[in-house]
Amino acid sequence: MATTAEPAATSSAGELFQGDRGDSRLYRDPALFAEEMDRIFKKTWVWVAHASELAGPNTFKTTQIGAQPVLVTRDKAGKVNVLLNRCRHRAATVCEKKRGRQSVFVCPYHGWSYDPDGTLRKVPHSWGYEEGFDPAQFPLQSLRVDEYNGMIFATFNPDAPDLAEHLGAARKWIDLFMKQGAGFGVKVLGEHSFRFPGNWKIQLENTTDAYHFPIVHKTFLDSLDEETENVFDVLGQGGWVEDLGNGHSVMVMIPALVDLEHDLDAPIPERFAELAQALRDEGHDEATVRKVVRAVGGTGFNLNMFPNIACSMAFFRELRPISVSETEVHHIAIGLDGGPELANRMRLRLHEHFQGPLGFGTPDDAEGWERVQRGVQAGDDMPIMVNRGVAAPQGTAEPGHDAGDVSSETGMRAAYRMWKRMMQG
Amino acid sequence: MTTSIFAPTTATPRVAQVITLAEAQALIWQEAELLDTLGYKAWLDLWTAEGYYVIPTERGDGDPVVQLNLLYDDDAMRRMRVKRLTSGFAMASSPPARTVRTVSRFVVAASEPGLIAVRGAQILVEYKYDRTRIIAADVTYRIVATDDGLKLDQKVVTLINADDPLHGIGYLL
Ligand code: FES
Ligand SMILES: [Fe+2]
């Protein structure tokens, strides 16, 4: 018999988004939030880690899927496991470290110990259990896991389509994004994290919102040299937003930086001149210098993958819903896996410049999102409008994909269409 | 323009005066008051040209030049940051949360002619939108004597929750 906690087979919640208008309850209804955790975060693929965060056997990180704490491990065979961080005995979390390396997880309460693949290894004082009690029956609960080009996802749903199918047209953009490894591969270098008092979908929308950039990020733009300021003229370079299906979308702000392996003969921008010279001084040939320098600046697009991860120009942006009016955001810095150390330093400095709780960009984004959550308490009948957009420039988006100009709200509509599909169950 | 990718150098004391803890405290408290009252332009003058202002993302003794920081400012970056905070165009800083901070629990970590290093504890309360938040941090200061008086040469603010989710911060710590 199904438990009462299971969501009803169908729901009217999907009605809250119609075409290009959202109901205020999307941001403020706690019951709707609970339903989203069941119908979306327990039903689709949720990003949990980049492969470089699990560098070698017996490594792990902790995170969450929806509201549920999970442990992501690489076991001694090298396989990635995503396990509920809940002891099978009486529910204590088995690990509270953010990341690390260990070959066993011992529950601190009564000492049940688990292998990194979730197997229950040992139960202390097992004489107290009746004969027939079989520890093999009580591994940590494991989720379905799959990986695409280093991006590791997990799902509670045995019936979800394969990850490759779920990502679909987004895969091409993941591949383009990973070119910023400059041939060395991509590695996580560190992360900024913060919470804001607002609904998770406000952040989801923002990843494909070029419209806000010149206004909210004016002080970031003002801190750049003229050449770089022109690079970040995100509305003025013929970019576009493209619906990639399944709620995913890409916003191309700097078309010249879609494929980082193209046009390597272009002059090295002034802001990278010091790095380029330092790399030459270290003995790298000119081709390597150009490839690395091009990669250091990151790509010119944001790939938004429903529901919780974006490949955003030069970093990963992960969102974790906390409550209807609180969201946690991680800005994960990435660099070259084994490339010149100076290149990664430059990437760290660029990341610090804009991202994180004290960056030149993020605090203003967070303030804006909080203002949305405050404002949406007013007015029950006024819709949230995501109808902006004119046609994408000729020859940009793939034929057959819905697309709009760079400032369009096409990506938000794509995400809400998937939201609606999932909420109707 | 971002902070240089090269490892920082520190200022060499140009005056061989012995700096007392009381003198160092006076500078630290002057700085705290300037930050609480948004006296950012005057705050810039408290620094040596070589000075580094660092807020790491991890607790511990890691080298900020090869790690991700919340803030890692040399002179040029500090000036741009002050320009941003005082421009009126940064939403999180127009106005920022109000702050009141105290710095205490001072311990002299090193002392030589013309230089003192001090460890302290900072408790800051911020207020905005009917909400107060507390931010606690261990702070280390490197202070040098110059012809122009005592100057900050390094300040490292290690938040109690440096490695956990924070919130948008539109002022200086
Ligand atoms: S709750 Fe884990 S051993 Fe008892
Ligand atoms: Fe933004």
Side-chain angles (χ1 to χ4, degrees):
Chain A
M1 200 176 90
T3 64
T4 50
E6 288 299 315
T10 60
S11 163
S12 59
E15 300 302 310
L16 296 176
F17 185 79
Q18 298 288 350
D20 52 19
R21 299 284 198 282
D23 189 283
S24 299
R25 280 171 285 181
L26 287 172
Y27 296 159
R28 68 183 199 202
D29 180 355
L32 182 69
F33 178 84
E35 218 176 316
E36 288 173 336
M37 294 306 100
D38 281 334
R39 291 184 179 275
I40 296 173
F41 284 83
K42 282 179 73 177
K43 288 284 152 53
T44 192
W45 291 98
V46 174
W47 185 88
V48 292
H50 182 259
S52 66
E53 295 182 273
L54 304 163
N58 296 332
T59 51
F60 71 92
K61 75 178 268 195
T62 51
T63 179
Q64 63 188 63
I65 297 182
Q68 307 201 30
V70 299
L71 186 56
V72 186
T73 67
R74 191 183 293 281
D75 60 33
K76 65 174 186 295
K79 184 171 151 282
V80 176
N81 307 272
V82 178
L83 309 161
L84 290 193
N85 192 358
R86 173 193 164 128
C87 179
R88 291 300 302 273
H89 178 221
R90 293 215 312 268
T93 55
V94 298
C95 179
E96 287 289 352
K97 293 188 199 133
K98 288 192 167 50
R99 60 187 70 85
R101 188 181 291 273
Q102 58 194 55
S103 56
V104 61
F105 294 89
V106 182
C107 177
Y109 202 1
H110 311 91
W112 287 26
S113 56
Y114 300 90
D115 288 329
D117 66 5
T119 308
L120 175 56
R121 183 191 287 189
K122 207 164 181 313
V123 172
H125 306 295
S126 55
W127 53 261
Y129 285 98
E130 290 192 10
E131 224 173 293
F133 175 79
D134 178 12
Q137 301 304 309
F138 299 97
L140 295 176
Q141 189 185 320
S142 68
L143 276 61
R144 233 177 116 190
V145 185
D146 206 351
E147 182 173 336
Y148 182 79
N149 202 346
M151 302 294 270
I152 301 170
F153 295 78
T155 181
F156 285 95
N157 183 3
D159 302 322
D162 285 346
L163 179 66
E165 185 186 335
H166 166 72
L167 293 173
R171 284 175 297 173
K172 172 185 119 181
W173 292 93
I174 294 177
D175 295 345
L176 286 166
F177 186 81
M178 297 304 173
K179 288 192 179 186
Q180 62 195 295
F184 295 97
V186 162
K187 176 176 79 173
V188 168
L189 300 177
E191 69 180 46
H192 290 140
S193 62
F194 63 99
R195 290 184 177 192
F196 71 93
N199 187 268
W200 65 279
K201 297 185 293 304
I202 299 171
Q203 153 69 92
L204 186 71
E205 292 168 13
N206 180 265
T207 297
T208 53
D209 186 339
Y211 191 22
H212 83 293
F213 199 92
I215 298 162
V216 171
H217 301 308
K218 176 174 164 47
T219 65
F220 168 72
L221 294 168
D222 286 347
S223 72
L224 305 172
D225 62 83
E226 203 182 320
E227 185 184 22
T228 313
E229 199 177 343
N230 290 336
V231 170
F232 280 94
D233 173 17
V234 299
L235 299 187
Q237 296 175 61
W240 73 98
V241 186
E242 182 174 339
D243 182 347
L244 301 174
N246 291 340
H248 317 313
S249 62
V250 66
M251 172 177 72
V252 177
M253 293 163 285
I254 312 170
L257 296 177
V258 164
D259 186 339
L260 296 174
E261 287 167 2
H262 274 178
D263 205 16
L264 285 170
D265 296 331
I268 290 177
E270 180 57 34
R271 68 172 172 154
F272 296 123
E274 188 191 40
L275 172 66
Q277 192 51 49
L279 293 175
R280 286 182 201 113
D281 293 347
E282 280 186 350
H284 297 285
D285 61 48
E286 194 60 22
T288 306
V289 169
R290 285 181 171 272
K291 193 167 177 176
V292 167
V293 165
R294 169 61 71 89
V296 161
T299 69
F301 61 85
N302 282 3
L303 168 64
N304 201 24
M305 285 172 279
F306 189 89
N308 81 320
I309 186 70
C311 291
S312 182
M313 299 188 87
F315 68 103
F316 301 136
R317 182 193 306 222
E318 178 198 11
L319 71 83
R320 300 184 190 176
I322 305 297
S323 73
V324 67
S325 58
E326 187 167 27
T327 305
E328 186 171 307
V329 183
H330 291 246
H331 289 168
I332 301 165
I334 54 177
L336 283 49
D337 192 0
E341 200 262 327
L342 281 178
N344 283 346
R345 276 197 207 179
M346 181 90 193
R347 288 191 65 102
L348 289 169
R349 300 294 89 84
L350 292 171
H351 190 86
E352 288 158 358
H353 188 164
F354 190 97
Q355 313 301 339
L358 282 144
F360 280 38
T362 299
D364 299 321
D365 280 322
E367 180 87 8
W369 305 335
E370 177 166 13
R371 295 282 287 269
V372 171
Q373 190 74 21
R374 288 170 68 78
V376 81
Q377 306 306 317
D380 292 326
D381 306 327
M382 278 182 285
I384 293 146
M385 297 167 61
V386 289
N387 57 323
R388 186 181 164 88
V390 296
Q394 281 294 321
T396 53
E398 231 172 90
H401 287 180
D402 184 23
D405 72 284
V406 67
S407 81
S408 70
E409 288 160 345
T410 301
M412 298 168 216
R413 295 193 290 277
Y416 277 117
R417 272 199 293 275
M418 182 65 171
W419 180 91
K420 187 178 172 88
R421 198 166 105 199
M422 299 204 77
M423 292 302 284
Q424 283 169 334
Chain B
M1 185 71 212
T2 52
T3 305
S4 163
I5 52 174
F6 298 106
T9 52
T10 48
T12 316
R14 282 192 295 276
V15 180
Q17 138 205 5
V18 172
I19 306 173
T20 66
L21 179 57
E23 287 168 325
Q25 277 176 25
L27 178 66
I28 290 166
W29 285 339
Q30 182 190 1
E31 191 216 7
E33 188 182 41
L34 281 173
L35 294 181
D36 279 340
T37 55
L38 310 182
Y40 292 138
K41 296 217 165 95
W43 174 76
L44 286 173
D45 295 333
L46 300 184
W47 287 87
T48 65
E50 298 87 346
Y52 264 80
Y53 173 31
V54 186
I55 307 181
T57 53
E58 301 278 345
R59 293 179 63 82
D61 298 322
D63 179 0
V65 79
V66 296
Q67 288 186 348
L68 183 68
N69 304 286
L70 291 158
L71 177 154
Y72 185 51
D73 285 2
D74 59 10
D75 184 64
M77 196 71 172
R78 270 196 305 281
R79 287 177 193 282
M80 289 197 304
R81 193 177 291 275
V82 164
K83 185 176 159 213
R84 161 182 148 74
L85 294 176
T86 55
S87 67
F89 292 110
M91 203 192 325
S93 307
S94 317
R98 296 174 196 153
T99 64
V100 172
R101 71 191 76 196
T102 67
V103 197
S104 185
R105 202 200 60 197
F106 293 119
V107 173
V108 177
S111 174
E112 54 188 79
L115 179 143
I116 189 168
V118 175
R119 289 196 302 271
Q122 174 167 286
I123 311 290
L124 178 154
V125 179
E126 68 150 69
Y127 173 79
K128 192 172 190 178
Y129 299 142
D130 297 330
R131 172 186 57 221
T132 54
R133 288 172 167 139
I134 297 172
I135 300 183
D138 293 297
V139 191
T140 63
Y141 303 86
R142 183 181 196 271
I143 293 168
V144 297
T146 73
D147 298 327
D148 194 21
L150 299 188
K151 297 284 177 194
L152 289 171
D153 192 48
Q154 199 176 75
K155 175 181 172 184
V156 181
V157 182
T158 306
L159 298 169
I160 195 170
N161 53 345
D163 51 353
D164 264 332
L166 301 160
H167 57 276
I169 298 174
Y171 52 86
L172 295 181
L173 293 168

